[in-house]
Amino acid sequence: MSLFAKIRQFNLFMRKAWALSLPYFTSDQKWKARGLLAAIVVLNLASVYMLVLLNSWNRLFYDALQAKNEHVFWVQLGRFTYLAFTFIIIAVYQFYLTQLLELRWRAWMTGHYLQRWLANHAFYQLELARYTGAAGATPDNPDQRIQEDLSLFTSYTISLCMGLLNSVVTLASFIGILWTLSGGFAFSVHGASYNIPGFMVWMALLYCLGGSILTHYIGRPQIRLNFLQQRYEADFRHHMVRVREYSESIALDKGETVERAQLDVRFSSVLSNLLLLIKAQKNLVWFTNFFGQAAVVFPFIVAAPRYFSGAIQLGGLMQIASAFGRVQDSLSWLVNNYSSLAAWRATADRLTSFEEHMVDQAQLQSALNDTNSIAPDRLQTHDLTLALPTGAVLLSGVNLQARAGDSVLVKGPSGSGKSTLFRAFAGIWPFARGRVEQPADAMFIPQRPYFPNGRLRDALAYPLAADHYSDDALRQALDDALLPQLADQLDTQDAWSQKLSGGEQQRLAVARVLLKKPKWIFADEATSALDETAEKHVYEKLLAQVQRAGGAMVSIAHRPTLAALHSKRWTLAPMPGGTATHYRIEESVA
């Protein structure tokens, strides 16, 4: 890659990083954020001013030592006491306010990203898009990016920016001191005399420029390795969470050995990449330690001839060494912070890619919303076409209608698109074209319902708060769904998705619907784990509910016993001359 291409790439990255950082400082918390930032900047400037005073103190103190001037020695020692105490106070509050800004910034960014991730089904569609087959099509592990990457980004951004500011101010403060103290360097070439003013300044610039260039070439592999390390760590953690979620299924299948092998593979990726990262860091540590140790003696070597000639005193030598150290530290900011910069760059890359995909999903959802509208008393599709994430057409030219009072059974072979049709009805399937008119007051019952961990009453009322319903209403819903044994456990805290059997979970999902009394119900094999008697009882309760409310019910089911409970049938059949995944819908009266 050419130098100009690298510069363009760096500029693009910095614009993206700036776009990530700016929203907090222009948000509803902007004045608190800006006030904290201003206070930290002032404390940084104050700390540099204290260093200037301490540098001046160096000359007076060491000159007193050389002259054996006891009075000045004790005076300067007393002066050092209050200088040091003031510096400590500044350092403590600089640390505290910096940590406070990091905490508030992280809290705001976490809330901001959680809101966007959970809004408009973005969390669902991001996961769905991962199965398109395109490498790197979607960001991996959005949970890790929100939980860990945001924390790292705010921490690194503040520490690096404040460090850079400190270095710039320190350089501006000490470069003049070093220029004045170092004097000129005189030499002769072929009888001609030359004098380089501010010789120590030029030496510091050359020393640090060479160090920065070498640091970049030695340390740049760390950027990619840090990016991969965060991904592998998140993959490993995510798989362990899946083992917890599916613990019963894994135990019944005796899949412990397979899961251990899968975890070992992921952890091996963690360790292998970490070893490469450690080796890359080791190479950089070799150089930075050599660079730092050489910087300790370098100013003494350069200034020694003037000291031994009597041009400067011991105090002047120590002041030159101190000033050179400050200038060298400032110019060596890249050398000293390269590992942190590599980690920050990797974190910012992960967040910017996540941000870009969130924006894309928001646009996709906006387009999807244009295909859906609300109808008070009917479900109707107009020339609806559904595709798989791969682009293959699943259903095309679908024109369906269900009105209040209908009970519709959707049938078809497995994989024909029944559940995808329901997702289109709900307005969450992004690979849809045409129009869908949805009933306003509707609830969907998935085959595998979700229940939050906590009190049973909260799981039953989800996603509304449990205090919307009386205890009598909650118990009645459980009794109607054939779960009377749970009626006295409303305040029991548990992981209900794991404690309850599959059939109990499906009945609890039905109880949730009976509690909320919607006009329309969409049931996607919602009773597949129940016996026929329990299934018939539950369906009669659901149908009675929509009839009382003046709505309708649309069901996906395979058992022929349910056909008698529905008045219409939508059957998915292969499209003549179509592909193996292309289906059409035939309407009939049950």
Side-chain angles (χ1 to χ4, degrees):
M1 185 184 296
S2 68
L3 177 61
F4 290 110
K6 290 181 178 179
I7 292 173
R8 285 195 299 270
Q9 187 182 54
F10 177 76
N11 288 337
L12 177 61
F13 166 75
M14 291 305 297
R15 284 198 296 271
K16 290 180 179 179
W18 175 253
L20 279 177
S21 305
L22 187 61
Y24 174 58
F25 295 94
T26 57
S27 69
D28 55 345
Q29 299 183 24
K30 60 185 177 184
W31 296 118
K32 289 182 179 179
R34 294 174 185 178
L36 271 176
L37 183 60
I40 294 168
V41 169
V42 169
L43 288 172
N44 265 277
L45 297 177
S47 68
V48 174
Y49 177 67
M50 295 306 299
L51 291 176
V52 172
L53 294 180
L54 287 168
N55 176 262
S56 175
W57 174 87
N58 265 299
R59 177 178 57 82
L60 298 172
F61 182 75
Y62 284 102
D63 278 348
L65 280 177
Q66 185 180 27
K68 295 182 173 58
N69 189 331
E70 185 176 357
H71 173 72
V72 175
F73 170 82
W74 289 110
V75 169
Q76 291 304 316
L77 201 58
R79 181 168 174 250
F80 174 81
T81 302
Y82 70 75
L83 288 175
F85 187 69
T86 304
F87 186 84
I88 290 170
I89 293 174
I90 292 171
V92 169
Y93 278 96
Q94 184 180 341
F95 166 81
Y96 173 71
L97 294 181
T98 299
Q99 295 298 308
L100 190 60
L101 179 58
E102 287 180 17
L103 184 148
R104 290 182 176 178
W105 192 5
R106 180 191 177 187
W108 185 89
M109 289 191 76
T110 300
H112 176 68
Y113 275 90
L114 283 176
Q115 190 277 329
R116 294 175 62 197
W117 183 53
L118 292 173
N120 296 318
H121 316 296
F123 64 97
Y124 166 71
Q125 293 182 10
L126 283 172
E127 286 301 307
L128 187 66
R130 295 184 67 186
Y131 301 100
T132 60
T138 56
D140 60 274
N141 304 295
D143 52 323
Q144 186 262 355
R145 301 194 186 210
I146 293 174
Q147 182 268 323
E148 184 177 345
D149 286 351
L150 286 178
S151 175
L152 292 174
F153 178 76
T154 55
S155 176
Y156 279 129
T157 301
I158 292 175
S159 63
L160 290 171
C161 287
M162 290 302 104
L164 181 58
L165 172 66
N166 189 279
S167 294
V168 171
V169 175
T170 300
L171 178 63
S173 301
F174 281 93
I175 197 167
I177 297 173
L178 184 60
W179 183 282
T180 302
L181 293 173
S182 62
F185 179 70
F187 61 97
S188 299
V189 178
H190 301 298
S193 298
Y194 300 93
N195 183 65
I196 301 176
F199 178 67
M200 294 291 290
V201 173
W202 298 114
M203 293 302 295
L205 287 171
L206 290 173
Y207 185 80
C208 296
L209 178 61
S212 298
I213 293 172
L214 289 173
T215 297
H216 173 65
Y217 282 101
I218 295 171
R220 64 179 177 177
Q222 292 185 39
I223 297 173
R224 179 176 175 274
L225 292 173
N226 273 291
F227 185 98
L228 292 175
Q229 189 65 27
Q230 293 175 24
R231 176 178 180 176
Y232 293 147
E233 295 278 9
D235 287 343
F236 177 56
R237 183 171 60 243
H238 178 69
H239 196 82
M240 286 194 290
V241 171
R242 285 180 58 82
V243 171
R244 285 179 52 203
E245 289 178 345
Y246 294 91
S247 57
E248 182 178 351
S249 299
I250 293 170
L252 290 172
D253 289 335
K254 296 180 171 58
E256 295 88 348
T257 303
V258 175
E259 295 307 317
R260 174 57 190 269
Q262 290 289 330
L263 287 169
D264 284 346
V265 169
R266 285 164 173 77
F267 191 57
S268 293
S269 298
V270 170
L271 293 181
S272 298
N273 192 78
L274 183 57
L275 181 60
L276 293 174
L277 182 58
I278 290 171
K279 289 179 178 178
Q281 290 172 337
K282 181 194 72 173
N283 293 335
L284 187 59
V285 169
W286 269 109
F287 176 74
T288 55
N289 274 276
F290 174 81
F291 183 85
Q293 291 302 314
V296 174
V297 298
F298 186 79
F300 291 102
I301 294 172
V302 177
R306 296 185 66 212
Y307 172 70
F308 289 118
S309 70
I312 57 175
Q313 300 297 310
L314 177 61
L317 177 64
M318 298 305 295
Q319 190 178 15
I320 288 173
S322 175
F324 181 90
R326 298 301 178 188
V327 170
Q328 181 264 325
D329 280 344
S330 302
L331 293 172
S332 301
W333 180 82
L334 180 64
V335 176
N336 298 329
N337 292 277
Y338 200 89
S339 292
S340 296
L341 278 168
W344 176 74
R345 172 69 184 268
T347 301
D349 279 339
R350 288 175 60 79
L351 286 176
T352 51
S353 67
F354 185 48
E355 171 73 20
E356 288 166 358
H357 281 91
M358 293 277 278
V359 171
D360 291 343
Q361 289 301 321
Q363 294 173 347
L364 184 63
Q365 184 63 38
S366 177
L368 183 60
N369 290 340
D370 291 341
T371 69
N372 289 266
S373 58
I374 299 298
D377 60 349
R378 68 179 181 275
L379 167 71
Q380 189 166 357
T381 66
H382 303 272
D383 198 24
L384 180 65
T385 297
L386 303 180
L388 295 171
T390 58
V393 175
L394 189 61
L395 294 166
S396 62
V398 176
N399 293 284
L400 300 171
Q401 186 178 75
R403 292 190 172 275
D406 287 342
S407 53
V408 182
L409 180 64
V410 182
K411 295 182 65 67
S414 178
S416 57
K418 302 183 297 296
S419 295
T420 303
L421 183 64
F422 266 35
R423 295 179 189 120
F425 291 163
I428 66 172
W429 189 251
F431 311 105
R433 297 192 306 275
R435 289 200 59 77
V436 177
E437 295 181 34
Q438 309 162 319
D441 184 11
M443 282 189 68
F444 288 77
I445 314 177
Q447 183 177 5
R448 203 173 153 223
Y450 166 75
F451 303 103
N453 295 342
R455 299 181 304 172
L456 178 62
R457 65 170 70 242
D458 295 321
L460 181 56
Y462 181 85
L464 298 178
D467 57 13
H468 279 74
Y469 306 99
S470 67
D471 286 3
D472 289 341
L474 295 170
R475 293 189 182 100
Q476 184 62 53
L478 290 170
D479 189 62
D480 289 342
L482 302 178
L483 290 172
Q485 71 275 16
L486 297 180
D488 60 349
Q489 298 185 44
L490 291 177
D491 291 308
T492 302
Q493 302 251 1
D494 218 322
W496 300 104
S497 295
Q498 297 194 7
K499 180 176 181 178
L500 301 179
S501 68
E504 287 175 323
Q505 290 182 48
Q506 289 189 337
R507 279 178 281 164
L508 185 59
V510 169
R512 182 186 287 168
V513 173
L514 295 175
L515 175 69
K516 297 179 180 179
K517 299 180 172 55
K519 293 179 66 175
W520 284 72
I521 297 174
F522 294 83
D524 184 358
E525 298 190 53
T527 57
S528 58
L530 304 185
D531 60 80
E532 291 185 5
T533 302
E535 183 178 55
K536 184 174 183 295
H537 171 85
V538 164
Y539 255 91
E540 287 173 347
K541 289 288 184 180
L542 292 172
L543 288 167
Q545 161 57 37
V546 295
Q547 288 171 2
R548 285 194 301 270
M553 183 169 180
V554 182
S555 307
I556 296 174
H558 291 287
R559 288 178 180 167
T561 52
L562 289 180
L565 300 176
H566 295 81
S567 59
K568 294 174 66 176
R569 183 177 300 173
W570 294 343
T571 303
L572 279 73
M575 183 75 76
T579 65
T581 61
H582 197 176
Y583 289 81
R584 63 180 178 178
I585 298 181
E586 300 172 348
E587 293 189 73
S588 61
V589 177

